Amino acid sequence: MIYVTLTFLAQLLVLQPCFAIPKPDAESPASHHEFNTDNKLYKATLEAFVKTAIPLGEQYGNVLEKVLEDLKAHEEAANYETQIEHLEELVKGAKHLKGDSDDETLRNILKLESDVAGAQEASKKSPNPHLVHDLFEKDGGKEHIEKFHKSVVEFFADFDDSFEEYAKDLSEGEKADHEDFLKWFKEFKEADGFANQFEKFLRFFTFFNPELFKEKRK
């Protein structure tokens, strides 16, 4: 995942308190262990993930607006028409993340990736092919990475605790049925480097709502 993507998605994980798995509902306890969007771990993690997405999306959009303004005013602007179009869509998307549900908000976040890639694509026409990246750093992008990295690590620690608590409640049969899920968690914990671990974390959502990533790739 590229630099700008990590900057934005990392911000969405800057949570205040750690999230907690809700107690099972006595009326429908089975739903909390079914691997769908009613699963208690999925719902708690998703709620925590999108909790700060709206205000942080606006902040991210403000940074990108500065990049967009600088790029349009730059003497190389004519060589970055495609990147400018993607930046305009990215700013719009970052400022309008809120959906009618947490699932829709997450879907909106994931849909930004194609515009992120397009905005930061190196220009083949310009002698300064990485101008967008340079402007992003100048307008505060690098500071965002440094500021939020620590908070992401803390979020992962909270997620570890919640996952392990959830796994303890699984029966032996459920553990056997979802061996790939438990294997994924082991790989997530052992992932080398921040970027790799973040990529692994995003796969968590596919176990409960695989359509999210199918839609993102359309």
Side-chain angles (χ1 to χ4, degrees), residues 9 12-13 19 35-37 41-50 102-103 106-107 109-110 155-156 159 181 184 198-213:
L9 293 179
L12 304 187
L13 290 173
F19 60 87
F35 275 55
N36 55 37
T37 55
L41 179 62
Y42 172 82
K43 292 175 72 173
T45 304
L46 179 60
E47 180 182 2
F49 186 80
V50 304
D102 286 345
D103 287 298
L106 176 60
R107 192 177 297 115
I109 293 168
L110 295 173
F155 172 86
F156 284 158
F159 174 73
F181 182 57
W184 162 82
F198 196 90
E199 287 280 8
K200 287 286 185 184
F201 170 75
L202 288 179
R203 188 170 173 245
F204 165 82
F205 297 108
T206 68
F207 288 99
F208 308 93
N209 192 356
E211 297 302 316
L212 284 171
F213 284 77

Side-chain angles (χ1 to χ4, degrees), residues 17-214:
C18 65
F19 60 87
I21 299 174
K23 296 296 182 181
D25 184 347
E27 295 181 357
S28 57
S31 68
H32 292 292
H33 282 180
E34 292 177 0
F35 275 55
N36 55 37
T37 55
D38 287 327
N39 181 280
K40 65 177 182 178
L41 179 62
Y42 172 82
K43 292 175 72 173
T45 304
L46 179 60
E47 180 182 2
F49 186 80
V50 304
K51 185 176 181 180
T52 57
I54 309 308
L56 287 173
E58 292 179 355
Q59 293 173 24
Y60 180 69
N62 290 336
V63 172
L64 292 182
E65 275 188 325
K66 294 179 183 178
V67 175
L68 184 59
E69 290 173 5
D70 288 347
L71 185 58
K72 286 182 175 180
H74 199 277
E75 60 183 8
E76 291 290 332
N79 296 323
Y80 279 89
E81 292 179 353
T82 299
Q83 289 83 350
I84 287 173
E85 290 178 4
H86 283 292
L87 272 172
E88 289 173 338
E89 289 301 313
L90 194 53
V91 169
K92 186 189 304 182
K95 291 192 172 186
H96 298 86
L97 290 177
K98 184 174 176 58
D100 293 333
S101 65
D102 286 345
D103 287 298
E104 186 175 341
T105 300
L106 176 60
R107 192 177 297 115
N108 291 341
I109 293 168
L110 295 173
K111 284 180 179 178
L112 294 178
E113 186 174 345
S114 61
D115 281 314
V116 170
Q120 194 159 282
E121 182 180 359
S123 174
K124 297 179 181 179
K125 301 178 182 179
S126 172
N128 185 2
H130 303 294
L131 178 60
V132 175
H133 178 274
D134 295 341
L135 291 176
F136 185 74
E137 287 199 346
K138 180 184 77 69
D139 290 328
K142 186 175 182 179
E143 286 72 16
H144 278 297
I145 284 286
E146 295 171 350
K147 180 178 180 180
F148 292 114
H149 183 275
K150 180 180 178 181
S151 295
V152 173
V153 172
E154 292 174 353
F155 172 86
F156 284 158
D158 292 337
F159 174 73
D160 287 353
D161 293 341
S162 293
F163 186 100
E164 290 175 358
E165 180 182 342
Y166 175 82
K168 288 178 183 177
D169 290 339
L170 295 176
S171 67
E172 291 304 315
E174 288 172 329
K175 289 178 181 179
D177 290 341
H178 301 291
E179 184 179 358
D180 57 338
F181 182 57
L182 300 177
K183 180 181 178 182
W184 162 82
F185 182 64
K186 183 175 184 294
E187 292 174 350
F188 162 73
K189 288 178 66 70
E190 295 175 351
D192 182 25
F194 172 74
N196 288 335
Q197 190 171 36
F198 196 90
E199 287 280 8
K200 287 286 185 184
F201 170 75
L202 288 179
R203 188 170 173 245
F204 165 82
F205 297 108
T206 68
F207 288 99
F208 308 93
N209 192 356
E211 297 302 316
L212 284 171
F213 284 77
K214 290 180 181 178

